[in-house]
Amino acid sequence: MSQQLSCENYNSSWTSAATALLSACRYYKPELTMIEFMGYSGHAFRININADDVDVAGPTGYDWESFFRKGLSNLGFTCRAIRTVNFTPPSPQELTDAMSLIQNSIDKGIPAICWDMFIPEFGNIYGYDDDKKEFMAKDPGGNGTLPYEKLGRGQINELFVMSVEDTNEMDKSKQLKGALELAIDHAYQRVHEDHLPPYENGIKGYDAWIQAFQKQQVSDFGNAYNVAVVHDARRFAAKFFSKLAQEWDEEMENGETIKNLAFEASKFYDKVVTQLELLVNMYPFPDGGNPNHSKQAQQTIEILGKAKQAEEHAVQTLENMLYELK
């Protein structure tokens, strides 16, 4: 899992997918910041909680390819991906195709994005050696060599590789519109086709979190990880809109209104961060604290309720901003 990050650090994120994707995107746009990437790609607005126990898989339990593709398109990028389904290792043909995608990307100087190399997180493959039949790879669990045959056969036995293929310049209004649509859709639309496990995303993610604490069956480790990831994401959401409020051109259509709404959204996300920071202190990663203690559970339920309320106001502000852009 990700290492503890300073609350003032906006160069790194607990969201390993965003870190890995940004590493590839910077080949085309070296000036792209983590703040911009987290906002425009939608990662700053994610929350995904298992209502049974707040398990550790929440932050990575969704359709990666679809979400990544939409987020990358907001920044003008196109991509290619290969993935196996239902936790199955790759067939010989899938492994060959994945290796070809990775090597072609590296040959162009662009690291590939890969899942579950040293631990079940996202990272980058940045080199390969055909003689030794191994990749050079890095994720939150390590930085070293990965034998070719281990691709898609990590702890989860699931293959996912992606390459960033090309980029186009994007109109600022179109970029922001896409980011807002992605954030609002995540807030209101359940992305999971199956009812079990009982994952909920967006606003209902807070309800699922509260349900788990009401049952006092919360995973110490999983809860601490979700707290760290969501808190970190909302820090980026607040910073993203704060910078947008400072930098948006008032001369653009409805420019002053967009700036004011961005400032308002930043303040609401700051309120979410304030509440979640209380949980970061109560449930430090990886120790996890004691989430199933009745007094702590009740306190957490109250904190999550306040965070949810602030997030609802933030999303309503994003809807107002999207209306002005349209």
Side-chain angles (χ1 to χ4, degrees):
M1 300 301 171
S2 305
Q3 294 180 350
Q4 185 68 46
L5 300 171
S6 164
C7 287
E8 299 303 318
N9 185 353
Y10 290 99
N11 297 317
S12 305
S13 174
W14 278 85
T15 302
S16 65
T19 300
L21 288 162
L22 178 59
S23 293
C25 292
R26 278 182 169 159
Y27 170 84
Y28 296 102
K29 297 181 179 179
E31 76 284 357
L32 189 60
T33 68
M34 180 64 80
I35 295 168
E36 291 169 325
F37 190 84
M38 287 288 286
Y40 286 116
S41 71
H43 284 93
F45 313 106
R46 288 196 55 79
I47 175 175
N48 189 54
I49 303 293
N50 186 329
D52 278 343
D53 59 0
V54 197
D55 69 18
V56 73
T60 56
Y62 58 96
D63 182 351
W64 304 323
E65 183 176 353
S66 174
F67 186 77
F68 293 172
R69 194 176 297 277
K70 290 175 183 176
L72 288 171
S73 70
N74 288 336
L75 287 158
F77 295 107
T78 59
C79 58
R80 289 181 57 212
I82 296 173
R83 182 181 186 178
T84 58
V85 296
N86 299 323
F87 302 104
T88 55
S91 66
Q93 186 59 54
E94 287 169 331
L95 182 61
T96 298
D97 292 343
M99 288 175 58
S100 177
L101 183 149
I102 292 167
Q103 291 180 341
N104 287 339
S105 185
I106 292 170
D107 288 344
K108 292 186 289 186
I110 311 169
I113 296 95
C114 189
W115 162 256
D116 192 21
M117 294 181 292
F118 303 118
I119 59 171
E121 288 282 355
F122 292 95
N124 293 111
I125 295 178
Y126 57 87
Y128 66 92
D129 187 326
D130 275 336
D131 292 332
K132 295 182 179 179
K133 298 188 184 306
E134 61 188 20
F135 294 111
M136 279 68 88
K138 180 180 181 180
D139 70 12
N143 184 1
T145 58
L146 182 77
Y148 285 173
E149 68 268 17
K150 289 290 289 182
L151 192 66
R153 291 180 170 83
Q155 296 182 30
I156 306 295
N157 270 337
E158 184 178 26
L159 174 72
F160 179 87
V161 295
M162 174 175 275
S163 63
V164 176
E165 296 288 309
D166 201 359
T167 184
N168 298 295
E169 288 302 315
M170 291 283 290
D171 174 79
K172 285 291 184 183
S173 293
K174 188 175 180 180
Q175 273 188 307
L176 180 56
K177 180 174 176 287
L180 294 173
E181 288 174 340
L182 201 56
I184 293 165
D185 185 64
H186 178 78
Y188 294 131
Q189 303 298 322
R190 188 174 189 269
V191 300
H192 305 283
E193 295 180 0
D194 299 323
H195 293 294
L196 295 174
Y199 283 108
E200 293 290 351
N201 56 272
I203 300 298
K204 288 187 177 179
Y206 289 97
D207 296 329
W209 216 339
I210 289 169
Q211 288 173 28
F213 271 92
Q214 287 172 334
K215 292 182 287 189
Q216 295 184 26
Q217 296 177 352
V218 174
S219 162
D220 298 1
F221 184 76
N223 177 67
Y225 186 54
N226 278 273
V227 166
V229 171
V230 179
H231 168 258
D232 176 71
R234 295 310 180 272
R235 287 177 53 247
F236 278 101
K239 192 70 171 178
F240 174 74
F241 284 113
S242 174
K243 284 179 63 63
L244 193 72
Q246 296 169 20
E247 297 170 0
W248 195 260
D249 187 355
E250 291 185 8
E251 300 303 316
M252 295 176 67
E253 185 176 356
N254 298 334
E256 187 174 352
T257 302
I258 297 297
K259 286 175 70 77
N260 290 337
L261 288 170
F263 178 77
E264 185 179 335
S266 174
K267 293 306 172 187
F268 282 128
Y269 281 119
D270 273 333
K271 290 182 179 180
V272 179
V273 172
T274 297
Q275 295 304 316
L276 295 180
E277 189 144 356
L278 298 174
L279 300 186
V280 169
N281 293 327
M282 289 172 65
Y283 307 115
F285 183 84
D287 297 336
N290 190 7
N292 295 309
H293 186 279
S294 58
K295 185 176 180 179
Q296 278 209 327
Q298 185 56 45
Q299 186 179 358
T300 302
I301 289 168
E302 293 173 5
I303 292 169
L304 288 171
K306 292 177 182 178
K308 176 191 173 184
Q309 185 178 45
E311 182 127 347
E312 287 175 323
H313 288 309
V315 174
Q316 289 165 8
T317 305
L318 302 194
E319 291 180 281
N320 294 337
M321 200 181 309
L322 182 59
Y323 176 82
E324 293 295 332
L325 284 172
K326 287 183 175 180

